[in-house]
Amino acid sequence: MTQNKTYLWMIPKWTLPATDGARVATDRLIKNMVKSGAIIDVMCLGNPGEVIDIEQMKSEWGVRDVFYKKRPLPNSKLGKALFYLFKLITNRKCPLTMSTFNAFTMKDFVDHVSKNKTYDYLFLDGLHLGAVFMKKGHFVKPKYSKKIVYRAHNIESDIWVKAYKDTNNIFKKVMLKQQSKLVKKYEFEIIEASNLVAPISVEDNEIITKDHPSIKTHITLMGMNFNNPLKYKSLEKIHFLFLGRLDWPPNKDGLKWLLDKVWPFVDHTKYHLNVAGSGERTWLKPYEGSNGITFHGFVDDIDDLYSISSASLIPIFYGSGTRIKVVETYTKGRSMISTAMGAQGSGLTPAVDYINAESAQQWIHSINNFDSVVSKKQALEGSNKLKVSFDAFKVAKDLYSKLL
């Protein structure tokens, strides 16, 4: 009889309640890994201001233990700017966005929790978590874990490379290029040190296996529940939904493009746009008061917006990984208007499962000629297709069997 494996599963934010796609995917994966037989201790290196309930997480997930530590990051914009400037000067070998994980207080916490413990697997649920184990600019595998699993949510370095190539500010370009090199080096070391890399999309898996031919991978899609599609609420206008973290560059750039190039030419007497998501969003202030748009910010229960929306809008032009909001859209019984890059990794077929639009004119035409009947049919087709690969229990069970 095979003995159940033990995991120290590290996550970068408190996941409950699972109010967005990323949290839902993590919630489903851990919960179903436990059902498959894994013995899991969760370690959350969380964001400032999170409300946590350790007993709730233990109860809902069935995990053995939960450890929590808040990362050191000021709340104010000025405080954050000064914090990152200090890190840029004093800790040049660590990527800026990972510096809160690399802090001494975080390293000390992880060492203290893990003292006298041994795990079969250290599970890094995202690239940034590995920064806790950086020493003198290099990733060092901890002694208390026999093997490392890295769940690759995307190819992080690609975003940084695009950022420095796109900016015209020479000082910003130099800084971003230096950061992109650090992220690329760090990402490379994490992958090479892992016993298994679990990318969330086929496309990312192809990139990783090409650059790291000796590394074992297993595509671990974002497991979701397709059993409870939402009913449609009848409204005077047709509503669309843009949902996502509003300061993540692919989301920010895509939404800004939509607001500048597309939405001014949409018939606002017929169509309305709802924009929702967490993250820094002061850049949206110039668009407040625009015709036919409501900016909701962070929403506790996103089902309220999905229920009044006929489709999601996903104007994404770069960035790797499968978009969680794409899969989530179909779990709610909705289709989407999307770029091919936005639909990447889902396996959905344009014109069959969703409306594909690339140029501004295509987007304007697709919105102004939106057909609810066709969209509902696409939602059903897409949902049936996605549930074959993205069913939450199947995803977790396949990963668990790979790690036995």
Side-chain angles (χ1 to χ4, degrees):
M1 184 175 179
T2 304
Q3 185 177 3
N4 292 0
K5 303 295 183 180
T6 57
Y7 295 74
L8 178 61
W9 197 300
M10 298 182 68
I11 57 176
K13 57 186 175 183
W14 192 254
T15 308
L16 299 177
T19 54
D20 59 47
R23 285 180 169 87
V24 168
T26 298
D27 170 76
R28 299 284 191 272
L29 184 58
I30 294 179
K31 188 181 297 182
N32 284 295
M33 283 284 286
V34 171
K35 288 181 180 178
S36 297
I39 300 171
I40 296 176
D41 287 349
V42 174
M43 178 180 288
C44 178
L45 306 182
N47 295 311
E50 292 177 327
V51 178
I52 71 166
D53 186 335
I54 288 178
E55 292 306 315
Q56 178 196 20
M57 184 172 282
K58 286 183 181 180
S59 174
E60 288 197 19
W61 286 358
V63 295
R64 184 175 64 180
D65 214 340
V66 176
F67 310 102
Y68 180 85
K69 180 73 173 179
K70 180 178 69 175
R71 286 181 278 119
L73 184 65
N75 290 321
S76 69
K77 289 183 67 176
L78 177 60
K80 289 178 182 178
L82 293 173
F83 172 86
Y84 284 121
L85 178 61
F86 177 75
K87 291 296 181 181
L88 186 64
I89 296 171
T90 61
N91 194 8
R92 296 183 180 182
K93 293 183 179 181
C94 178
L96 272 181
T97 54
M98 302 174 192
S99 56
T100 57
F101 294 90
N102 189 242
F104 172 77
T105 53
M106 308 311 290
K107 292 173 177 286
D108 185 62
F109 172 74
V110 174
D111 287 343
H112 176 73
V113 167
S114 306
K115 188 178 181 180
N116 301 323
K117 290 187 175 70
T118 301
Y119 294 95
D120 293 303
Y121 292 101
L122 169 65
F123 198 107
L124 301 175
D125 206 336
L127 183 69
H128 294 61
L129 292 155
V132 172
F133 307 107
M134 284 180 66
K135 294 182 180 179
K136 297 182 179 179
H138 295 284
F139 179 80
V140 179
K141 181 179 176 180
K143 296 179 180 179
Y144 50 79
S145 174
K146 297 176 183 178
K147 295 180 179 180
I148 295 175
V149 180
Y150 163 47
R151 188 176 184 221
H153 292 241
N154 55 25
I155 307 298
E156 188 75 22
S157 55
D158 284 356
I159 296 174
W160 286 92
V161 169
K162 186 178 188 306
Y164 89 74
K165 287 184 176 179
D166 284 354
T167 185
N168 293 319
N169 183 309
I170 186 63
F171 299 105
K172 192 174 180 181
K173 185 180 285 289
V174 170
M175 190 275 287
L176 288 172
K177 187 172 184 178
Q178 186 262 348
Q179 286 296 308
S180 72
K181 289 181 178 179
L182 283 178
V183 173
K184 193 173 185 66
K185 170 182 171 292
Y186 169 66
E187 192 169 38
F188 184 91
E189 289 189 3
I190 290 283
I191 292 173
E192 286 292 316
S194 297
N195 299 92
L196 179 74
V197 177
I200 68 172
S201 75
V202 174
E203 290 81 2
D204 286 0
N205 186 67
E206 290 174 352
I207 294 171
I208 291 170
T209 53
K210 180 182 177 182
D211 294 342
H212 307 268
S214 63
I215 295 301
K216 184 179 178 182
T217 66
H218 174 70
I219 300 169
T220 305
L221 302 174
M222 298 171 300
M224 306 289 273
N225 179 6
F226 292 83
N227 298 326
N228 300 301
L230 298 172
K231 294 181 179 179
Y232 286 85
K233 289 184 179 179
S234 180
L235 298 173
E236 184 179 347
K237 294 182 181 180
I238 290 177
H239 283 238
F240 297 105
L241 175 62
F242 179 96
L243 174 66
R245 186 172 178 85
L246 297 171
D247 55 3
W248 186 55
N251 281 342
K252 180 180 178 180
D253 292 348
L255 178 57
K256 188 176 188 307
W257 177 86
L258 182 79
L259 297 177
D260 289 339
K261 305 293 186 182
V262 176
W263 201 255
F265 306 99
V266 167
D267 185 348
H268 303 140
T269 65
K270 295 181 179 178
Y271 305 104
H272 190 88
L273 174 61
N274 295 291
V275 176
S278 59
E280 202 283 322
R281 53 185 179 272
T282 55
W283 65 273
L284 283 169
K285 283 187 177 179
Y287 300 99
E288 292 177 0
S290 299
N291 288 333
I293 308 176
T294 302
F295 296 98
H296 298 270
F298 175 76
V299 177
D300 286 327
D301 188 356
I302 199 63
D303 282 0
D304 291 338
L305 288 180
Y306 270 115
S307 66
I308 64 171
S309 299
S310 294
S312 291
L313 303 186
I314 306 182
I316 300 295
F317 296 95
Y318 67 96
S320 58
T322 303
R323 322 296 169 196
I324 293 175
K325 58 189 172 185
V326 168
V327 183
E328 183 182 65
T329 291
Y330 288 83
T331 68
K332 307 299 183 182
R334 303 297 186 268
S335 182
M336 63 184 182
I337 303 174
S338 176
T339 58
M341 181 61 73
Q344 175 182 274
S346 66
L348 295 173
T349 304
V352 176
D353 306 315
Y354 71 98
I355 299 169
N356 175 236
E358 301 296 334
S359 68
Q361 286 303 317
Q362 289 174 337
W363 273 86
I364 294 166
H365 179 270
S366 297
I367 293 173
N368 281 331
N369 294 276
F370 182 79
D371 188 325
S372 295
V373 175
V374 172
S375 181
K376 288 178 181 178
K377 183 179 179 181
Q378 290 177 335
L380 181 60
E381 294 281 347
S383 178
N384 289 336
K385 183 177 292 184
L386 288 172
K387 71 172 62 173
V388 174
S389 301
F390 288 85
D391 175 74
F393 184 70
K394 178 183 181 301
V395 169
K397 186 177 179 181
D398 288 349
L399 176 61
Y400 181 74
S401 64
K402 197 77 174 179
L403 298 173
L404 288 177

